[in-house]
Amino acid sequence: MTDANQVKGDRLDQWLDSYAARAHGLRASETRSLFAVAARPEVVSLAGGMPNLKDLPLDQLADATARMIREDGGRALQYGNGQGLPRLREQIPEVMALEGIDADPEDIIVTTGSQQAVDIITELFIDPGDVILAEAPTYVGSLSIFATYQGDVQQVEIDADGVIPEALETTVTRLEREGKCIKFFYCLPNFHNPAGVTLSEERRPEIIEICRRHHILIVEDNPYGLLGFEGQTYTALKTLAPNDVVYLGSFSKIFAPGYRVGWAVAPPAVREKMKLASEAAILCPSSVGQYSVSTYLESFDWKQQVEEFRGMYRGRRDAMISALGEFMPMCTWNVPAGGFYVWVGLPDGLDAKDMLPRAVTNLVAYVSGTAFYSGGSAGHDHVRLSFCYPEPADIREGVRRLSEVVAQDLELVTLFGPSHTRPIEGVSAPAPDQI
């Protein structure tokens, strides 16, 4: 063996020098890395955004699926259309109509969850170094995609009413002055992940106008739009500017995530390129998943099921807000009007990422705010708490356990200063195979 080969053979990864440059941007998601810990029965997980499926009519779904396989199995188990099952593309506008969105089935492309749609759009539009605008904070899964394609993510400040138009204008103007190429603005306008806020109706036309004036495509990611706790919906950016917006939807939150069925509504030219890119990657989305979703929409009262989800999640939201008021008055938080998440601000001097191992030791899990910023350069002062999956009693207990960790860290801050300026003795993060 040559010296060079000996060196490579001694590495943990002997192919390190062979990867494409974009592969080095791949990082484990801070959310996904918590799943193993969160799955332990003794841990109360306020981390993952898993939909609660306990209210689905599983027995009836099993019967309907069996009937679908008997009657349509030859097609459902075969390769399908690269754009998606035509019948499902006719049904999706019925779902979107609940939010006042008028969509043509021909402009819809079915994807493997809306995550694949984000990946396709990024692949089509982003060359290394191109700018992607996103909210600060933003969805961690999309940040991972943007890093893979070596996009330059520039995040724009938000407040209780969503992205701030003046901040967007200032950011765009600065980037253009610097000669940067801005390709699209990725946003989650409804019941934001992780911040839980909703873009106000007043701001929506302003955001459209800014992006249109600067020729910036808008990618509107809307997985939670039908989960307003009082049944409220908001004007889609796609409705305001059909030719300037790619709209993303998903059945993961209003039906079940295991089917991995989402969709995109795009201007015709963009749709065609998305279809070609999807076919190149996966040939076609899951046929059996699409047939199953189509059967559900056709055979079940899915609108009533959405209403039941709203009530169930509203009760869990109320349980979390009540517990925060009882156990964590030293923190700040928003009260989301829908969705899955509460964005909690920590007292001065506390570090969410530094605190996480101690929280896991105390049998509660959350996601550090750092996960939702490009490069993890911000967000140390926030945690995302998810209320969608645990029972209300478990939510209360999880917040109580977390409050103990926050109180202990506050005592340390009082004695020794902010946690990020001092070593923590006797406490270590979980090993990689434990998180």
Side-chain angles (χ1 to χ4, degrees), residues 154-293:
Q154 297 284 330
Q155 294 184 258
V156 182
E157 183 182 0
I158 66 173
D159 61 17
D161 291 318
V163 67
I164 302 170
E166 294 79 8
L168 179 61
E169 181 74 62
T170 298
T171 301
V172 170
T173 301
R174 172 180 59 81
L175 291 168
E176 289 180 340
R177 188 184 309 120
E178 294 171 358
K180 299 292 182 67
C181 181
I182 305 171
K183 289 296 183 68
F184 61 79
F185 172 43
Y186 170 81
C187 61
L188 298 102
N190 302 322
F191 318 129
H192 189 276
N193 177 7
V197 301
T198 294
L199 182 62
S200 70
E201 289 284 0
E202 294 75 18
R203 287 184 178 180
R204 293 178 185 235
E206 296 182 65
I207 299 303
I208 291 289
E209 192 277 329
I210 292 169
C211 290
R212 180 177 283 157
R213 181 156 36 85
H214 293 275
H215 193 59
I216 298 170
L217 179 71
I218 296 174
V219 179
E220 179 181 15
D221 197 356
N222 188 34
Y224 307 98
L226 289 179
L227 295 180
F229 297 143
E230 306 303 328
Q232 74 279 30
T233 60
Y234 301 88
T235 305
L237 302 178
K238 181 68 175 177
T239 298
L240 296 175
N243 294 320
D244 302 300
V245 177
V246 176
Y247 175 98
L248 311 183
S250 174
F251 287 104
S252 294
K253 308 304 187 294
I254 60 172
F255 181 24
Y259 289 115
R260 304 308 302 132
V261 176
W263 72 90
V265 186
V270 176
R271 178 206 66 214
E272 283 303 304
K273 288 191 179 298
M274 291 184 69
K275 177 184 173 183
L276 293 173
S278 179
E279 289 174 340
I282 62 169
L283 294 181
C284 65
S286 165
S287 294
V288 72
Q290 293 179 83
Y291 270 88
S292 297
V293 173

Side-chain angles (χ1 to χ4, degrees), residues 339-419:
F340 285 4
Y341 307 108
V342 174
W343 188 237
V344 178
L346 298 175
D348 289 344
L350 269 61
D351 188 307
K353 194 168 186 176
D354 174 78
M355 192 174 68
L356 182 56
R358 293 185 286 283
V360 172
T361 299
N362 209 42
L363 302 181
V364 62
Y366 60 81
V367 182
S368 167
T370 54
F372 307 100
Y373 290 86
S374 179
S377 57
H380 291 269
D381 56 348
H382 277 80
V383 301
R384 189 194 74 177
L385 300 184
S386 172
F387 53 79
C388 51
Y389 193 76
E391 294 293 329
D394 293 327
I395 290 172
R396 184 178 185 277
E397 175 61 17
V399 173
R400 186 195 66 78
R401 293 177 186 178
L402 180 58
S403 72
E404 293 178 342
V405 180
V406 171
Q408 291 166 4
D409 269 35
L410 272 176
E411 290 182 11
L412 291 172
V413 166
T414 301
L415 291 172
F416 303 110
S419 59

Side-chain angles (χ1 to χ4, degrees), residues 294-313:
S294 179
T295 298
Y296 172 70
L297 295 175
E298 192 170 77
S299 305
F300 290 82
D301 189 353
W302 61 270
K303 294 179 183 178
Q304 179 58 37
Q305 185 65 67
V306 169
E307 186 62 34
E308 291 178 11
F309 282 150
R310 288 168 177 163
M312 182 259 293
Y313 291 132

